[in-house]
Amino acid sequence: MEDHQIVPDVISTAPVEIAKITFRGGVNVNLGNELKPIQLKDIPEVFWDADAGSFYALCLIDPDAPSKTEPIYRSWQHWLIVNIPGMDVQSGETLSEYIGSSPGQGTGLHRYVFLIYKQNGKLHFDEKYSNNRCSREDRRSFQITKFAEKYRLGTPVAGNFYLAQWGD
């Protein structure tokens, strides 16, 4: 994550554990591999070394919106689920529905970062719910570090990332 400047652009410390992220068709995220947006349209499966008795928060962000050279909307929120019991992502509380990667034409490679935080128990989140059709204002300029600080999540326990650019 340091080589791709996720540390310090997104978080101050890289998580120790690498989360396993698999999209439909066996497409795996592997610490900065380049994937095509067409491969990323469906919700992925996410695995990490979770404690069955704990709750977790999972987010996917694009810190390069609208481009890495001009990230004026850093970071774009693509997915946010909280109160995940153990590793059962589907049973968590969705605050932002999944939106696949769709970098704009001519904006170059974007980094898409998955971060998983261990919560201090089941929490009440007062964030606005964002569905697939919500306005851009509801998803842009999301600061995961401020979110983690607000809910006392500490540093991420697991993470992974891929790169993607505009495609037909």
Side-chain angles (χ1 to χ4, degrees):
M1 290 193 171
E2 290 88 355
D3 289 347
H4 287 273
Q5 299 170 322
I6 292 165
V7 174
D9 288 352
V10 178
I11 51 177
S12 59
T13 304
V16 174
E17 183 184 349
I18 305 303
K20 182 179 180 190
I21 316 289
T22 304
F23 285 90
R24 181 178 281 176
V27 175
N28 291 307
V29 172
N30 189 14
L31 294 175
N33 58 325
E34 187 174 346
L35 301 173
K36 298 185 181 306
I38 192 74
Q39 298 173 300
L40 310 166
K41 61 183 181 170
D42 297 316
I43 296 173
E45 293 182 317
V46 182
F47 303 95
W48 69 97
D49 186 21
D51 175 13
S54 295
F55 290 91
Y56 294 86
L58 161 69
C59 74
L60 170 61
I61 55 174
D62 170 6
D64 303 323
S67 70
K68 190 172 183 183
T69 57
E70 293 185 39
I72 58 174
Y73 299 130
R74 179 173 286 162
S75 287
W76 197 277
Q77 187 185 111
H78 280 262
W79 198 23
L80 181 60
I81 301 179
V82 297
N83 290 325
I84 300 168
M87 200 171 32
D88 187 3
V89 175
Q90 292 180 345
S91 294
E93 179 184 340
T94 301
L95 297 182
S96 291
E97 290 182 22
Y98 178 81
I99 295 178
S101 304
S102 56
Q105 186 174 6
T107 62
L109 285 170
H110 288 234
R111 301 166 293 172
Y112 290 87
V113 184
F114 288 90
L115 295 169
I116 300 161
Y117 292 83
K118 187 173 184 179
Q119 299 176 193
N120 296 317
K122 192 168 186 178
L123 301 174
H124 171 73
F125 291 84
D126 61 1
E127 307 299 311
K128 183 178 178 182
Y129 171 76
S130 298
N131 65 24
N132 284 347
R133 294 170 189 85
C134 68
S135 70
R136 295 175 185 260
E137 289 78 25
D138 293 335
R139 293 195 182 248
R140 69 181 182 194
S141 303
F142 176 73
Q143 295 181 15
I144 188 61
T145 54
K146 286 188 177 182
F147 180 83
E149 184 178 301
K150 178 179 179 179
Y151 294 104
R152 297 186 178 120
L153 302 178
T155 59
V157 295
N160 206 333
F161 70 102
Y162 61 89
L163 306 174
Q165 60 185 319
W166 186 84
D168 291 334

